[in-house]
Amino acid sequence: MPAGGARPPEVVPEQELRRRVGELSARIDEDYAEVDELVLVGVLKGAFIFLSDLARRLSVPTVVDFVALSSYEGTEAGELRLEMDLREEVRDRHVLVVEDIVDTGATLRRLRELLASREPASLAACVLVRKQGSPPRDEAGVDYLGFEIPDVWAVGYGLDYDERYRGLPYVGRLTEV
Ligand code: IMP
Ligand code: MG
C-alpha cells in the first residue's frame, strides 16, 4: 500500500453496505409507492456516496438535491450554519433527507426543522449509520436506518476524517491520526 497510513479496520464491509442499501431502497419504494416523485436531499459532503447508491436502487422517480451544513463544535446549542441551500422548492413535495451519520443528532434535527418550515407534503430521513450512545431514532428523526455502529470515529463510504478517507468503499474506523 502506498504511503498515507494504514487501512482503517472494517466496521461495515462493502458487501453489507450493498445488501443493506438494497433493503432500504425496497422499503422506501414500498412506502412511497403512491407518490409520483420523491425529492432526495443529500447532506454534503458525507452523504454523497450513500445517496448515489440509494438513488440507483430506487424505483420511485427521484429528484436529487443537496444542502451543505456546518456546525460549530463546542457550542452547546450546536449552532448550525447552512452553507448551501437547496435549489429545489420543496413546498408540497415529498422529501427524503439522506444523511451519513447521526452522532449527537443536532444536525439532522435542525435540518428537519428547517425543511419542515417550508411545508413539504411529507418529510422523512434515511441515515446510513447511527452511533451507539446517540439519541434514540425517533428523537433524532431517523425514519430509515442502515446500521448501528459502536461509538467510534467512522470513515469511508463518504465519511471523512479531516477530508480524508471519503473514497473508501466500506465504513471503517479511525485508529490513528
Ligand atoms: P451530529 O453530531 O449528529 O450533529 O453529527 C454532525 C455531523 O458530524 C454529521 O453529519 C457528520 O458529518 C459528522 N460526523 C459525526 N460523527 C462522525 C464520524 O464518526 N465520522 C465522520 N463524520 C462524523
Ligand atoms: Mg454530515
Side-chain angles (χ1 to χ4, degrees), residues 27-45:
R27 280 192 39 214
I28 293 167
D29 274 337
E30 253 180 70
D31 293 351
Y32 292 90
E34 307 301 319
V35 314
D36 43 44
E37 175 198 79
L38 180 60
V39 182
L40 300 178
V41 173
V43 185
L44 292 174
K45 299 175 187 170

Side-chain angles (χ1 to χ4, degrees), residues 11 14 27 34 51 96 109 116:
V11 175
E14 200 176 345
R27 280 192 39 214
E34 307 301 319
L51 183 141
L96 181 65
R109 199 165 49 241

Side-chain angles (χ1 to χ4, degrees), residues 43 46 71 99-108 131 149 152-155 159-161:
V43 185
S71 48
E99 173 62 312
D100 52 0
I101 192 164
V102 166
D103 184 8
T104 66
T107 302
L108 183 58
K131 282 198 209 184
I149 63 166
V152 296
W153 191 263
V155 294
L159 290 154
D160 75 309
Y161 173 74

Side-chain angles (χ1 to χ4, degrees), residues 145-173:
L145 178 66
F147 300 91
E148 307 265 356
I149 63 166
D151 189 8
V152 296
W153 191 263
V155 294
Y157 199 68
L159 290 154
D160 75 309
Y161 173 74
D162 208 10
E163 295 302 325
R164 290 171 63 205
Y165 303 111
R166 291 195 197 277
L168 280 182
Y170 60 93
V171 176
R173 77 185 152 81

Side-chain angles (χ1 to χ4, degrees), residues 102 104-105 108-109 112 134-142:
V102 166
T104 66
L108 183 58
R109 199 165 49 241
R112 286 190 67 128
S134 302
R137 283 180 52 176
D138 52 348
E139 224 173 88
V142 178

Side-chain angles (χ1 to χ4, degrees), residues 8-30:
E10 288 187 351
V11 175
V12 187
E14 200 176 345
Q15 59 272 29
E16 273 295 290
L17 289 166
R18 199 173 309 122
R19 183 190 61 75
R20 190 68 182 132
V21 168
E23 287 177 357
L24 288 171
S25 55
R27 280 192 39 214
I28 293 167
D29 274 337
E30 253 180 70

